[in-house]
């Protein structure tokens, strides 16, 4: 599979809108333009679309782009598309979606991977409460509340602990940390269905499952990371589009997840600065241009190098 050479900090090009990328000779002549789009921090903030995002999608579609949502969401792909529709986006503009939650579900259901085959069926389930618990229907799993009974930990959220009765009880992060300490002592593996550390929600940063997974690794626990920045999700997204790496571009707001994952998969990337790194870049207003030297410094910090940098997902 042909790929793009990984850029370095000196190669980053700064643009004001995606039109400048879409109309470059490379993408004009490409038979298949696969645009792998993050959602939170790029298209919307969890509550409403960002200014210009909906019209930009229409413009990309008019230029022949095959757009795929590629998201570190704990939820299934169909739920993600439904969420976008509820926010005013047109789902028909996307050729599909792949989420870390979808990958997790598929692997737990199929168990055609030796690691998942050996996982067992009883699990401690960390999930959401305010955002809505994640259904495990169809997976044949038994949720247990005792670490002694658990064969693995399944992390979908950071707000609640699943109960054997099917409901859940709200927990604080400190309470989760104590459970993780017990699990690490028993050497129970973890599957994390959302590798994000934080996300943008209504302009605020919110703790995500990747934070729990990182803590578990520090305790010596084994973690199976599903989603960005790992190549498994990029390969799935390109398969949906029927595209090679050389005809694909990833657009995201996280250097550690979106951009590092694109680098590892050999595809171009566009870094949107209005998302989770806006404070680190000293940005106060939506659409404000980031200082390129600050972007270079941040890219070096995270060892993740975008091909392009833009203030927001606008045309």
């Amino acid at each position: 599979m042909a790929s793009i050479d990984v850029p370095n900090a000196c190669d980053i090009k700064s643009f004001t809108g995606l039109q400048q990328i879409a109309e470059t000779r490379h993408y004009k002549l490409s038979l298949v333009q696969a645009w792998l789009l993050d959602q939170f921090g790029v298209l919307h903030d969890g509550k409403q679309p960002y200014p210009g995002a909906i019209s930009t999608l229409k413009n990309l579609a008019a230029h022949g782009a095959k757009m795929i949502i590629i998201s570190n969401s704990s939820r299934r792909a169909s739920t993600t598309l439904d969420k976008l529709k509820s926010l005013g986006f047109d789902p028909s503009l996307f050729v599909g979606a792949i989420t870390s939650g979808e990958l997790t579900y598929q692997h737990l259901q199929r168990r055609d991977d030796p690691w998942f085959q050996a996982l067992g069926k009883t699990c401690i389930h960390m999930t959401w409460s305010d955002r809505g618990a994640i259904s495990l229907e169809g997976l044949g799993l038994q949720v247990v509340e005792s670490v002694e009974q658990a064969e693995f930990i399944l992390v979908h959220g950071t707000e609640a602990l699943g109960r054997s009765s099917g409901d859940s009880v709200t927990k604080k992060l400190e309470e989760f940390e104590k459970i993780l300490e017990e699990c690490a002592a028993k050497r129970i593996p973890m599957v994390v269905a959302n590798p994000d550390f934080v996300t943008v929600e209504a302009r605020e940063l919110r703790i995500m499952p990747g934070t729990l997974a990182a803590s578990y690794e520090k305790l010596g626990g084994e973690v199976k990371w599903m989603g960005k920045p790992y190549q498994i999700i990029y390969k799935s997204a390109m398969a949906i589009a029927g595209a090679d790496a050389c005809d694909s571009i990833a657009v995201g707001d996280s250097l550690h997840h979106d951009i590092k994952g694109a680098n590892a998969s050999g595809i171009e990337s566009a870094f949107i600065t209005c998302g989770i790194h806006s404070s680190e870049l000293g940005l106060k207003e939506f659409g404000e241009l980031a200082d390129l030297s600050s972007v270079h410094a941040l890219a070096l910090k995270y060892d993740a190098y975008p091909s392009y940098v833009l203030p927001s997902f606008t045309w």
Side-chain angles (χ1 to χ4, degrees), residues 42-58:
V42 174
L43 301 180
H44 62 82
D45 66 358
K47 302 293 183 182
Q48 60 186 4
Y50 284 124
I54 291 176
S55 60
T56 298
L57 289 173
K58 293 176 181 177

Side-chain angles (χ1 to χ4, degrees), residues 227-300:
K228 298 178 287 186
Y230 301 96
Q231 291 186 45
I232 181 175
I233 195 167
Y234 290 88
K235 288 179 179 178
S236 294
M238 286 186 283
I240 291 171
D244 288 328
C246 63
D247 292 318
S248 302
I249 182 170
V251 183
D253 70 316
S254 169
L255 287 168
H256 178 79
H257 295 98
D258 301 303
I259 307 306
K260 187 180 283 289
N263 290 168
S265 299
I267 65 179
E268 287 196 327
S269 60
F271 171 42
I272 304 298
T273 58
C274 69
I276 64 170
H277 294 295
S278 60
S279 294
E280 288 178 277
L281 292 168
L283 303 177
K284 306 296 183 186
E285 303 292 335
F286 178 84
E288 183 181 349
L289 287 171
D291 179 73
L292 200 53
S293 63
S294 297
V295 174
H296 288 165
L298 208 59
L300 288 168

Side-chain angles (χ1 to χ4, degrees), residues 188-263:
I188 300 173
M190 171 189 285
V191 179
V192 59
N194 182 340
D196 280 354
F197 301 125
V198 294
T199 193
V200 176
E201 189 165 286
R203 304 292 290 179
E204 299 291 333
L205 293 182
R206 187 163 186 166
I207 298 296
M208 299 301 283
T211 296
L212 293 177
S215 295
Y216 197 56
E217 282 192 331
K218 288 180 181 178
L219 292 168
E222 179 186 8
V223 176
K224 176 67 78 172
W225 297 82
M226 305 297 290
K228 298 178 287 186
Y230 301 96
Q231 291 186 45
I232 181 175
I233 195 167
Y234 290 88
K235 288 179 179 178
S236 294
M238 286 186 283
I240 291 171
D244 288 328
C246 63
D247 292 318
S248 302
I249 182 170
V251 183
D253 70 316
S254 169
L255 287 168
H256 178 79
H257 295 98
D258 301 303
I259 307 306
K260 187 180 283 289
N263 290 168

Side-chain angles (χ1 to χ4, degrees), residues 1 64 72 77 95 174 183 186 193 240 248-249 294 297 301:
M1 179 184 291
N72 277 356
V95 298
E174 295 79 9
C183 291
K186 196 186 170 190
I240 291 171
S248 302
I249 182 170
S294 297
K301 174 183 175 180

Side-chain angles (χ1 to χ4, degrees), residues 126 147 153 173-188 190 212 215-216 218-221:
M126 297 178 178
V147 172
I153 316 159
L173 287 175
E174 295 79 9
E175 294 175 291
F176 279 133
E177 292 286 353
K178 291 180 180 178
I179 295 171
L180 292 180
E181 288 175 5
E182 292 180 45
C183 291
K186 196 186 170 190
R187 303 183 68 82
I188 300 173
M190 171 189 285
L212 293 177
S215 295
Y216 197 56
K218 288 180 181 178
L219 292 168

Side-chain angles (χ1 to χ4, degrees), residues 28-210:
K28 274 188 174 180
L29 297 180
S30 174
L31 294 176
V32 180
Q33 300 179 37
W35 288 69
L36 316 184
L37 307 178
D38 184 32
Q39 53 167 341
F40 288 94
V42 174
L43 301 180
H44 62 82
D45 66 358
K47 302 293 183 182
Q48 60 186 4
Y50 284 124
I54 291 176
S55 60
T56 298
L57 289 173
K58 293 176 181 177
N59 282 321
L60 279 174
H63 278 70
K66 286 192 170 184
M67 294 178 287
I68 303 94
I69 295 296
I70 177 170
S71 175
N72 277 356
S73 167
S74 304
R75 303 186 187 281
R76 302 286 304 276
S78 58
T79 304
T80 291
L81 290 172
D82 289 343
K83 170 72 172 180
L84 287 168
K85 184 178 181 179
S86 73
L87 292 174
F89 294 94
D90 180 359
S92 70
L93 294 177
F94 306 105
V95 298
I98 186 68
T99 66
S100 51
E102 182 69 37
L103 281 176
T104 301
Y105 187 93
Q106 291 175 4
H107 279 73
L108 285 171
Q109 185 181 61
R110 294 197 307 254
R111 295 189 178 244
D112 52 4
D113 172 284
W115 194 89
F116 280 91
Q117 285 177 3
L119 202 55
K121 293 286 188 176
T122 60
C123 67
I124 296 282
H125 187 210
M126 297 178 178
T127 185
W128 298 113
S129 58
D130 294 342
R131 289 172 162 231
I134 306 289
S135 172
L136 304 182
E137 185 178 353
L139 294 178
L141 298 177
Q142 179 185 354
V143 175
V144 296
E145 298 168 53
S146 166
V147 172
E148 291 303 316
Q149 295 177 289
E151 294 172 288
F152 72 101
I153 316 159
L154 178 57
V155 186
H156 277 112
T158 62
E159 295 175 341
L161 190 67
R163 303 172 76 169
S164 54
S165 58
D167 59 356
S168 62
V169 57
T170 301
K171 294 286 184 182
K172 295 179 180 179
L173 287 175
E174 295 79 9
E175 294 175 291
F176 279 133
E177 292 286 353
K178 291 180 180 178
I179 295 171
L180 292 180
E181 288 175 5
E182 292 180 45
C183 291
K186 196 186 170 190
R187 303 183 68 82
I188 300 173
M190 171 189 285
V191 179
V192 59
N194 182 340
D196 280 354
F197 301 125
V198 294
T199 193
V200 176
E201 189 165 286
R203 304 292 290 179
E204 299 291 333
L205 293 182
R206 187 163 186 166
I207 298 296
M208 299 301 283

